[in-house]
Amino acid sequence: MKLKEIDRTAMQAWSPAQNHPIYLATGTSAQQLDATFSTNASLEIFELDLSDPSLDMKSCATFSSSHRYHKLIWGPHKMDPKGDVSGVLIAGGENGNIILYDPSKIIAGDKEVVIAQKDKHTGPVRALDVNIFQTNLVASGANESEIYIWDLNNFATPMTPGAKTQPPEDISCIAWNRQVQHILASASPSGRATVWDLRKNEPIIKVSDHSNRMHCSGLAWHPDVATQMVLASEDDRLPVIQMWDLRFASSPLRVLENHARGILAIAWSMADPELLLSCGKDAKILCSNPNTGEVLYELPTNTQWCFDIQWCPRNPAVLSAASFDGRISVYSIMGGSIDGLRQKQVDKLSSSFGNLDPFGTGQPLPPLQIPQQTAQHSIVLPLKKPPKWIRRPVGASFSFGGKLVTFENVAVQVQQGAEQQRRQPVFISQVVTEKDFLSRSEQLQHVVQSQGFISYCQKKIDASQTEFEKNVWSFLKVNFEEDSRGKYLELLGYRKEDLGKKIALALNRVDGSNVRIKEEKQECDFLPSAGGTFNISVSGDIDGLITRALLTGNFESAVDLCLHDNRMADAIILAIAGGQELLAQTQKKYFAKSQSKITRLITAVVMKNWKEIVESCDLKNWKEALAAVLTYAKPDEFSSLCDVLGARLESEGDSLLRTQACLCYICAGNVERLVACWTKAQDGGNPLSLQDLIEKVVILRKAVQLTQALDTNTVGALLAEKMSQYASLLAAQGSIAAALAFLPDNTNQPNIVQLRDRLCRAQGKPVPGQESSKNPYERQPLSKGRPGPVAGHPQMPRVQTQQYYPHGENPPPPGFIMHGNVIPNTTAPLPTSPGHMHSQLPPYPQPQRPQNGWNDPPALNRVPKKKKMPENFMPPVPITSPIMNPSGDSQSQGLQQQPSTPGPLSSHASFPQPHLAGGQPFHGVQQPLAQTGMPPPFSKPNTEGAPGAPIGNTIQHVQALPTEKITKKPIPDEHLILKTTFEDLIQRCLSSATDPQTKRKLDDASKRLEFLYDKLREQTLSPTIINGLHTIARSIETRNYSEGLSVHTHIVSTSNFSETSAFMPVLKVVLSQASKLGV
């Protein structure tokens, strides 16, 4: 869009890139007159202020000159590093003079602004350029093949690059090379360009077009590639821009034909080599990509021609164009909105008539009303592609799996044939930030694989830094040892050996082995003598009442009397004699009366009320409660009691007791509770803290799996979340396989399902549990000994189906139907490749090709006549396993059967068949394994009996041939665009073609292009051919079929015939037909 405008008929020059603010110098153009026919000349400097929305540029200074100019440049010689105005304005006059001006003096208003002046040239000086490496060197060109090299430090005597070219001619353009400082190029209107080497003082190469219609009006070197240059032609018969490479100077490397009439000026952007400006007699200003010829931007101009265009060195998005209508316009190629500019113009026009009263009515004019257009296009679009200067110089992004993708905006040139391919490398690296975390994770994986849990726990015990950590690993270790409950008691401080010694010491017994003997002797001493007499008292006291109760067998009353008299021992002894019910009642009464410290413990032990212990004990005695549970609890209630005790410690205890709840959960084998408790007690934000938890969880799950024989695959929500976090951390460090191994399988949480999907895709593996929904008749493999699910749809009509049985199994008799899935009897081991069951759509008619294997027995009946082989028939490759075709393939849909050797059905094995939705049964046939690896023959399907029923005593053999989907590799992603583009072009041609012969040609071309795709799969084509094919594909996308045909000719003429003969002729046919049809 247009930014600024200057009403001058002048040449122009931007200030150097180092200068700020940006200035534009203008000098009155020679051989041009304005509308006033003024012969005055001036040199003006304008400031570019983009903050001002108006179109006017601020004029900083004006210097009246006696010269008119053919060329004006602003060099950075002796530029002030601070950015002050400096440098040198170099002007080429119409009388062969070169004048040096000081722009800082012009802006300051000094009268003496001319630094130096020389009239060395003959005729007008139309060509000037400054060496960007040595800014004191200036090249100039004029008539009679005159070229001079001026040194601004010694301006008196110029140098020449060599002898004048013959015949003498005008020098219209001159340019220093942008990469090599001693190379200079000049061009003349005759179309010849000469490249000079100043070290040798001679021309090294001359470039000219063979058509002799090339009137050169512009010359520019490639900003990056030292050997490339462009030439522009102002001849209306050849309005082209030719791109030359001096390494192959026999013909242009590329020709840009975007203008309709001759080109007057060109300018190559130093900031982006893919931006080339050109203006022509067709009143267009185009910004093109010289590498592809694509027009990236067309500036909105009027109908006047532009004779000079230049890029702004400091702001690469800004350019200026001088036109013959006496106007210099400043544009931006980045687009924008012109609403503000339009309103500014309206306001300016209104203010011009502000308070005037031209009619003497005493009233000012009303505000100017601009009619609103129905559809306003106030947005000017920018370039089609982002320019280089707004691209990121560097970039980095983390991807899934800890991959760091980085790039540098530096192109690497790779020379291939006549072209240079520019590659911008992208670097992918693995970033590992948690090395300790990964090391410990690998150790854990190794332990799980090697089952070395005891040694692993022992290492953790030895390395524990806290007593609690040591206890946790000690409890985990006990799970893998024998007599785990006894070991738990020992960890709680209850060793049987130590307890026996303490009891013996308390009873003043030294030797535990003599205690039993002495006790037996003492007990014998206390027994009443069997030979003496004793008195049975029936007095009225308590003893007498007890005696009477005993004599009458009333044990209950006797026990009550003993309890009343506080004779507890007698009561218990009598209750034992009275039976279990009386004993239980007596125990309750005893415990109700007893008030000792251990009464409640004795109560719980005697009454086997372990829940009372864990629910009512003081939490300070949690170890004693856990020891009681370990000693007495039954296996089926052990885990729940430990959970209850752990829950009490977690909810009612202090911070120390809350951590001890983990030990209870370890004893219970409750992984979910352990995770919840550990998460509350520890900081879970650190990866190593999460590693600590996962280590304990994995070891405990293995212990539960070994000791309690429970289903450890069941994962709770909290554990699943922690395992997902752990897997994400592993994936972020690049351990994709380990992350997938630790991720829970049997959970449907969306974040875990998504993570599993990403992990599987990162490994290049299919996602488990996902089935393709594209084809409802997808084949499904049979599990060992079980039939696979029926592939079908409930609302589909009845279809012919086949069931394949492994070797050694027999099909059920015809008509035998069983609803539901029933496991068939397996009489022989399954083959290496399991059988398949799939359903087929009705066969699509296509040419049938029956053939027999080399060792197949001859068919006995219903042998169809062989049909003539199609011309494009290819014999199948031998197979060594019963690979079945996917049901979506055309060969599978047209599968035919042929009767084989008769064989009686086995009577001892019958297999029920799965039932189709809708009531249609499956009818099976036998599928024996091929012993030699050769495919069985095909035959026509049987239409006389029930689908799948045997014919006579024969059993049908069905074997599908492998298809290309199984044997062929995929086309690499970078070349897949070729197949897509060529096939799309053929389809467009087929839809537009009406001639049957043309359609046949295109069909044949589509088939023969498979040879190209095969070579792409095998990657056997040379890089030159690959690049040429991609160029053809790009020309197809732009509908430039003539360019595609020229590239095709170049490929065929420069490549090996045997390499391209299979597909290049048909590709030419397709391009020719596309050009003819205009698709």
Side-chain angles (χ1 to χ4, degrees):
M1 61 173 287
K2 183 180 290 189
L3 301 177
K4 300 292 180 181
E5 204 171 62
I6 305 173
D7 291 330
R8 298 288 187 277
T9 304
M11 306 304 293
Q12 56 180 340
W14 288 99
S15 59
Q18 302 93 319
N19 195 76
H20 183 75
I22 300 174
Y23 292 102
L24 180 65
T26 62
T28 305
S29 176
Q31 295 183 347
Q32 292 186 40
L33 293 175
D34 57 10
T36 62
F37 292 91
S38 172
T39 58
N40 296 329
S42 63
L43 191 65
E44 294 181 81
I45 296 180
F46 295 87
E47 180 183 348
L48 179 64
D49 184 9
L50 296 179
S51 61
D52 181 12
S54 67
L55 287 176
D56 299 331
M57 287 186 70
K58 176 185 175 183
S59 177
C60 297
T62 302
F63 171 73
S64 298
S65 172
S66 59
H67 304 283
R68 289 173 172 259
Y69 308 109
H70 282 275
K71 187 69 176 177
L72 187 66
I73 60 174
W74 194 331
H77 180 57
K78 293 184 179 180
M79 196 76 186
D80 189 354
K82 296 182 179 180
D84 296 336
V85 177
S86 185
V88 179
L89 265 174
I90 307 165
E94 54 186 345
N95 297 319
N97 49 353
I98 295 180
I99 310 108
L100 305 184
Y101 296 98
D102 188 343
S104 59
K105 292 183 178 180
I106 296 177
I107 294 178
D110 293 351
K111 295 183 179 180
E112 300 296 330
V113 298
V114 177
I115 301 175
Q117 179 177 351
K118 285 292 180 181
D119 300 333
K120 184 74 174 176
H121 277 291
T122 302
V125 180
R126 296 185 175 89
L128 286 172
D129 195 27
V130 176
N131 192 309
I132 62 173
F133 300 99
Q134 293 178 266
T135 57
N136 60 307
L137 297 182
V138 179
S140 62
N143 295 349
E144 303 296 329
S145 300
E146 288 182 349
I147 299 176
Y148 290 124
I149 310 297
W150 304 86
D151 186 353
L152 299 183
N153 296 325
N154 184 15
F155 195 67
T157 305
M159 302 173 289
T160 60
K164 293 183 179 181
T165 57
Q166 297 297 330
E169 53 189 351
D170 297 343
I171 303 298
S172 59
C173 311
I174 198 164
W176 291 96
N177 192 281
R178 303 300 182 183
Q179 297 295 321
V180 183
Q181 62 181 2
H182 56 83
I183 298 298
L184 178 72
S186 62
S188 60
S190 64
R192 283 188 291 271
T194 305
V195 180
W196 305 82
D197 188 345
L198 300 189
R199 294 183 304 180
K200 300 179 180 179
N201 265 16
E202 63 181 10
I204 56 175
I205 193 171
K206 295 183 179 180
V207 175
S208 63
D209 184 71
H210 298 297
S211 64
N212 293 325
R213 293 184 298 174
M214 183 79 177
H215 291 187
C216 188
S217 60
L219 165 69
W221 285 99
H222 195 295
D224 293 338
V225 183
T227 59
Q228 292 183 2
M229 59 191 296
V230 292
L231 299 174
S233 170
E234 65 175 336
D235 193 335
D236 292 344
R237 298 172 299 171
L238 192 68
V240 298
I241 298 176
Q242 294 179 344
M243 185 173 182
W244 293 80
D245 195 314
L246 302 183
R247 295 168 295 180
F248 315 99
S250 58
S251 61
L253 183 65
R254 190 171 289 105
V255 178
L256 280 65
E257 302 176 350
N258 299 320
H259 284 276
R261 297 185 63 186
I263 299 167
L264 297 176
I266 58 173
W268 206 330
S269 172
M270 291 293 293
D272 189 348
E274 295 184 352
L275 299 180
L276 178 66
L277 279 175
S278 60
C279 59
K281 300 177 186 177
D282 53 1
K284 289 183 178 180
I285 300 178
L286 303 179
C287 182
S288 309
N289 185 346
N291 297 323
T292 62
E294 179 186 7
V295 176
L296 301 176
Y297 192 69
E298 181 175 352
L299 275 77
T301 58
N302 51 22
T303 57
Q304 292 295 326
W305 299 355
C306 292
F307 60 87
D308 185 26
I309 51 175
Q310 291 187 26
W311 292 99
C312 175
R314 185 173 183 88
N315 189 337
V318 174
L319 60 99
S320 60
S323 57
F324 285 113
D325 61 349
R327 183 173 295 151
I328 297 176
S329 302
V330 179
Y331 298 95
S332 170
I333 61 172
M334 298 306 294
S337 175
I338 60 175
D339 289 339
L341 179 62
R342 182 181 298 168
Q343 188 62 39
K344 288 287 183 181
Q345 293 174 336
V346 172
D347 295 342
K348 182 178 180 180
L349 186 60
S350 298
S351 63
S352 300
F353 296 92
N355 294 319
L356 295 180
D357 184 11
F359 304 108
T361 60
Q363 296 180 354
L365 291 175
L368 182 64
Q369 298 293 330
I370 302 296
Q372 297 293 328
Q373 300 179 359
T374 56
Q376 293 184 354
H377 300 283
S378 59
I379 301 298
V380 179
L381 297 178
L383 286 169
K384 291 182 180 179
K385 77 170 190 66
K388 184 178 179 181
W389 59 82
I390 68 170
R391 300 175 194 167
R392 297 178 180 177
V394 294
S397 177
F398 279 100
S399 67
F400 183 73
K403 298 290 191 301
L404 177 63
V405 183
T406 60
F407 71 88
E408 298 177 2
N409 206 357
V410 177
V412 179
Q413 296 182 1
V414 180
Q415 182 173 347
Q416 294 182 351
E419 298 183 1
Q420 282 188 344
Q421 183 179 7
R422 298 172 61 83
R423 297 179 180 175
Q424 292 182 325
V426 175
F427 304 96
I428 302 177
S429 55
Q430 181 67 53
V431 178
V432 178
T433 57
E434 302 290 341
K435 295 183 179 180
D436 294 340
F437 172 77
L438 277 185
S439 175
R440 290 176 58 180
S441 177
E442 291 174 358
Q443 293 178 10
L444 180 60
Q445 296 174 60
H446 177 71
V447 168
V448 173
Q449 293 174 0
S450 62
Q451 303 290 318
F453 301 115
I454 295 179
S455 60
Y456 180 74
C457 293
Q458 187 59 48
K459 290 181 182 178
K460 288 292 182 180
I461 293 171
D462 298 338
S464 298
Q465 297 180 354
T466 62
E467 189 66 24
F468 171 68
E469 186 80 7
K470 184 176 181 180
N471 289 337
V472 168
W473 282 110
S474 299
F475 270 67
L476 289 171
K477 178 186 175 185
V478 166
N479 285 284
F480 300 98
E481 298 177 348
E482 297 180 357
D483 188 21
S484 58
R485 288 204 187 184
K487 298 292 180 60
Y488 278 137
L489 287 172
E490 292 180 3
L491 292 175
L492 292 172
Y494 295 97
R495 296 177 60 90
K496 293 183 179 180
E497 294 80 359
D498 297 342
L499 183 60
K501 292 180 181 179
K502 290 181 181 179
I503 293 175
L505 184 61
L507 296 176
N508 294 322
R509 303 290 188 268
V510 180
D511 188 5
S513 60
N514 297 327
V515 172
R516 184 177 298 273
I517 301 174
K518 293 181 179 179
E519 285 180 352
E520 290 178 355
K521 291 181 179 180
Q522 291 174 1
E523 289 171 358
C524 294
D525 294 339
F526 284 109
L527 288 177
S529 174
T533 60
F534 65 95
N535 182 26
I536 299 176
S537 175
V538 291
S539 59
D541 57 0
I542 295 297
D543 290 341
L545 293 176
I546 294 173
T547 302
R548 292 173 183 271
L550 290 176
L551 292 177
T552 58
N554 192 350
F555 288 98
E556 184 174 356
S557 298
V559 168
D560 289 339
L561 290 170
C562 291
L563 291 174
H564 178 73
D565 199 27
N566 204 22
R567 295 159 65 174
M568 299 298 180
D570 292 342
I572 295 298
I573 296 300
L574 291 175
I576 293 174
Q580 290 295 329
E581 184 178 354
L582 180 59
L583 177 61
Q585 295 176 1
T586 306
Q587 288 174 346
K588 291 181 180 179
K589 293 177 181 179
Y590 167 76
F591 292 138
K593 286 189 174 185
S594 179
Q595 299 296 330
S596 66
K597 295 181 179 179
I598 61 172
T599 300
R600 297 188 68 177
L601 176 61
I602 297 175
T603 303
V605 171
V606 172
M607 305 301 295
K608 299 182 179 179
N609 188 5
W610 318 121
K611 194 173 183 181
E612 171 71 15
I613 296 179
V614 297
E615 287 183 346
S616 303
C617 72
D618 191 343
L619 291 180
K620 295 180 180 179
N621 304 121
W622 68 271
K623 290 187 178 181
E624 289 74 18
L626 182 57
V629 172
L630 289 168
T631 303
Y632 295 107
K634 296 179 182 179
D636 56 346
E637 60 182 0
F638 173 72
S639 297
S640 61
L641 293 173
C642 292
D643 286 340
V644 172
L645 181 59
R648 282 196 64 202
L649 289 172
E650 196 174 353
S651 60
E652 302 176 17
D654 54 15
S655 58
L656 179 60
L657 291 178
R658 280 197 293 268
T659 58
Q660 304 298 334
C662 295
L663 301 179
C664 297
Y665 296 139
I666 291 175
C667 294
N670 194 329
V671 180
E672 190 72 14
R673 288 282 187 89
L674 175 63
V675 173
C677 181
W678 188 271
T679 304
K680 293 178 182 179
Q682 303 293 330
D683 178 21
N686 187 2
L688 293 180
S689 177
L690 182 60
Q691 175 68 31
D692 289 337
L693 174 61
I694 296 300
E695 288 173 352
K696 297 172 179 59
V697 166
V698 170
I699 298 300
L700 181 58
R701 283 166 62 87
K702 291 297 180 181
V704 172
Q705 185 178 1
L706 293 175
T707 58
Q708 301 184 15
L710 297 178
D711 182 15
T712 57
N713 291 327
T714 303
V715 178
L718 184 59
L719 176 58
E721 178 185 353
K722 293 298 179 182
M723 296 294 278
S724 175
Q725 293 179 8
Y726 186 68
S728 299
L729 279 174
L730 285 174
Q733 302 300 316
S735 298
I736 303 297
L740 196 56
F742 281 106
L743 197 66
D745 292 331
N746 54 346
T747 179
N748 292 324
Q749 296 186 24
N751 57 335
I752 298 180
V753 172
Q754 181 182 11
L755 180 59
R756 185 185 300 112
D757 179 82
R758 298 185 72 184
L759 290 172
C760 291
R761 294 181 187 276
Q763 276 195 317
K765 295 180 179 179
V767 181
Q770 287 190 1
E771 298 179 357
S772 177
S773 59
K774 296 181 180 179
N775 189 1
Y777 298 97
E778 192 73 26
R779 63 168 181 162
Q780 299 181 4
L782 286 173
S783 60
K784 292 186 178 181
R786 294 178 180 265
V790 178
H793 197 279
Q795 298 179 356
M796 291 294 291
R798 179 173 180 173
V799 296
Q800 181 180 354
T801 58
Q802 306 288 346
Q803 181 173 355
Y804 303 101
Y805 291 88
H807 183 63
E809 296 183 1
N810 293 320
F816 185 85
I817 300 174
M818 178 71 74
H819 294 273
N821 292 328
V822 183
I823 303 174
N825 297 326
T826 304
T827 59
L830 290 173
T832 304
S833 178
H836 298 274
M837 174 168 58
H838 69 183
S839 61
Q840 290 180 288
L841 290 170
Y844 183 79
Q846 64 177 8
Q848 308 300 329
R849 299 182 289 272
Q851 66 177 31
N852 292 329
W854 66 273
N855 65 342
D856 287 338
L860 298 182
N861 52 6
R862 295 193 179 94
V863 178
K865 294 182 180 180
K866 292 186 178 181
K867 295 183 179 181
K868 183 179 179 180
M869 293 286 184
E871 294 179 358
N872 59 353
F873 172 72
M874 295 179 62
V877 296
I879 58 176
T880 58
S881 62
I883 303 174
M884 303 313 298
N885 235 3
S887 60
D889 294 347
S890 60
Q891 289 188 2
S892 176
Q893 293 176 356
L895 194 64
Q896 296 189 349
Q897 307 168 10
Q898 177 172 338
S900 181
T901 308
L905 290 175
S906 176
S907 60
H908 68 274
S910 63
F911 299 93
Q913 298 205 8
H915 203 266
L916 266 179
Q920 294 85 359
F922 270 88
H923 300 280
V925 295
Q926 186 177 3
Q927 167 64 28
L929 288 180
Q931 297 297 330
T932 61
M934 296 296 292
F938 291 108
S939 69
K940 292 184 178 179
N942 175 32
T943 58
E944 298 181 6
I951 304 172
N953 288 328
T954 64
I955 297 176
Q956 297 177 358
H957 295 257
V958 181
Q959 177 69 51
L961 295 176
T963 62
E964 291 182 354
K965 291 183 180 178
I966 298 177
T967 58
K968 289 190 177 181
K969 301 177 181 178
I971 297 177
D973 293 341
E974 63 268 20
H975 304 322
L976 197 59
I977 186 65
L978 297 178
K979 182 178 180 181
T980 306
T981 304
F982 296 156
E983 288 183 348
D984 180 63
L985 179 60
I986 292 175
Q987 291 301 321
R988 295 205 307 267
C989 293
L990 284 172
S991 61
S992 300
T994 57
D995 184 12
Q997 184 178 1
T998 302
K999 291 187 176 181
R1000 284 196 298 271
K1001 287 183 180 179
L1002 293 172
D1003 288 336
D1004 181 65
S1006 178
K1007 296 175 183 177
R1008 294 182 62 183
L1009 280 177
E1010 286 294 332
F1011 292 106
L1012 168 62
Y1013 306 148
D1014 290 341
K1015 290 182 178 293
L1016 292 176
R1017 292 184 181 98
E1018 301 298 333
Q1019 299 183 0
T1020 56
L1021 293 176
S1022 64
T1024 304
I1025 297 177
I1026 292 289
N1027 293 335
L1029 290 172
H1030 280 280
T1031 305
I1032 293 176
R1034 287 192 292 269
S1035 67
I1036 292 174
E1037 292 177 353
T1038 58
R1039 306 293 198 274
N1040 192 354
Y1041 301 117
S1042 58
E1043 180 185 354
L1045 288 170
S1046 63
V1047 175
H1048 179 280
T1049 305
H1050 177 73
I1051 296 175
V1052 173
S1053 60
T1054 58
S1055 60
N1056 190 355
F1057 176 75
S1058 61
E1059 193 176 4
T1060 59
S1061 59
F1063 57 88
M1064 289 303 283
V1066 297
L1067 190 55
K1068 182 177 182 180
V1069 170
V1070 174
L1071 291 171
S1072 302
Q1073 292 296 333
S1075 179
K1076 184 188 298 183
L1077 296 172
V1079 295

